[in-house]
Amino acid sequence: MLGDRIGKKNKNYDIVCMAEEQQPEVWMRGPVPAVPPLLQPVAHALLQAAEEITRYMQDFDDAHLWIKPAGRASVGFHLQHFTGVVDRLFTYAREQPLTEPQFEYLRAEGQEAPDVRSADLVRAFVKQVETAVAQLKVTAEATLPDVRYLGRKRIPTTAIGLLFHAAEHTQRHVGQLFVTVKLLPFFLN
């Protein structure tokens, strides 16, 4: 499990830590075992996000977790949102409705929670990536163009559209997280 290896020696798809020599990006390491070829980019993007988030959040001061620099999203929001987006979009890709706990999680995204630590949010995301990659491994490529529905409005899309969007949306927020983490010191002075 990826989450079990945070801070430990790594192989091809383990989370890379700052103290270790950085490996090439995940997509450069070859195929993720057992993931269908058409879903490799989704797996690569999610695994890359898990590695980058783990690196960015090392030594992060949790006192700054809920600060909204210039009124923008907090680090805590981004960390919660990664996990929730992947969970929700992969649920829709399985043709399942969201559960009440998923709706509760969605409502709580970005709400300041003083007892929550950034390391816990990172571990939750890494666990969600592990779950997502496991789902990719059992997703038949023949089902990728099949119609799926997004949200309560049942917006039509496809299985591959949902899976791809989960990966690209996560990557977009990884960039936002990185900028937020780097700029926070300027807002604290």
Side-chain angles (χ1 to χ4, degrees):
M1 305 273 291
L2 293 172
D4 296 336
R5 294 187 280 236
I6 292 176
K8 296 181 182 175
K9 194 87 175 148
N10 65 60
K11 294 186 180 183
N12 282 353
Y13 301 102
D14 295 348
I15 300 301
V16 177
C17 293
M18 277 285 232
E20 297 180 34
E21 184 176 322
Q22 224 175 344
Q23 295 184 0
E25 290 187 14
V26 174
W27 70 273
M28 296 174 163
R29 299 179 212 161
V32 178
V35 172
L38 292 177
L39 295 174
Q40 287 290 325
V42 174
H44 288 148
L46 291 174
L47 290 165
Q48 186 69 42
E51 288 188 3
E52 290 177 5
I53 291 165
T54 300
R55 273 197 315 275
Y56 297 162
M57 295 307 298
Q58 280 187 340
D59 302 320
F60 183 79
D61 184 347
D62 286 343
H64 306 143
L65 191 59
W66 303 106
I67 293 173
K68 296 179 180 179
R72 309 317 287 166
S74 68
V75 169
F77 165 77
H78 287 297
L79 293 172
Q80 290 172 325
H81 190 60
F82 299 137
T83 303
V85 163
V86 173
D87 180 36
R88 291 186 294 273
L89 293 176
F90 272 64
T91 296
Y92 292 135
R94 291 190 309 270
E95 293 187 277
Q96 296 177 344
L98 297 185
T99 63
E100 188 52 38
Q102 286 172 307
F103 283 117
E104 289 172 15
Y105 188 91
L106 175 60
R107 286 189 291 271
E109 283 180 18
Q111 301 298 317
E112 189 169 340
D115 57 325
V116 173
R117 297 175 336 115
S118 60
D120 298 331
L121 295 172
V122 170
R123 275 191 282 282
F125 177 67
V126 169
K127 182 178 178 195
Q128 190 63 52
V129 168
E130 291 171 344
T131 300
V133 171
Q135 180 176 330
L136 294 174
K137 290 178 180 181
V138 297
T139 300
E141 285 184 334
T143 66
L144 295 179
D146 291 355
V147 174
R148 298 290 188 266
Y149 296 95
L150 174 66
R152 292 178 178 171
K153 293 183 180 179
R154 297 191 40 84
I155 299 167
T157 185
T158 60
I160 196 167
L162 289 163
L163 298 172
F164 178 78
H165 183 66
E168 69 86 17
H169 189 83
T170 297
Q171 281 291 324
R172 184 180 332 148
H173 278 276
V174 168
Q176 293 172 355
L177 172 73
F178 179 67
V179 170
T180 303
V181 168
K182 291 296 181 189
L183 292 179
L184 263 176
F186 297 103
F187 288 91
L188 300 174
N189 294 330

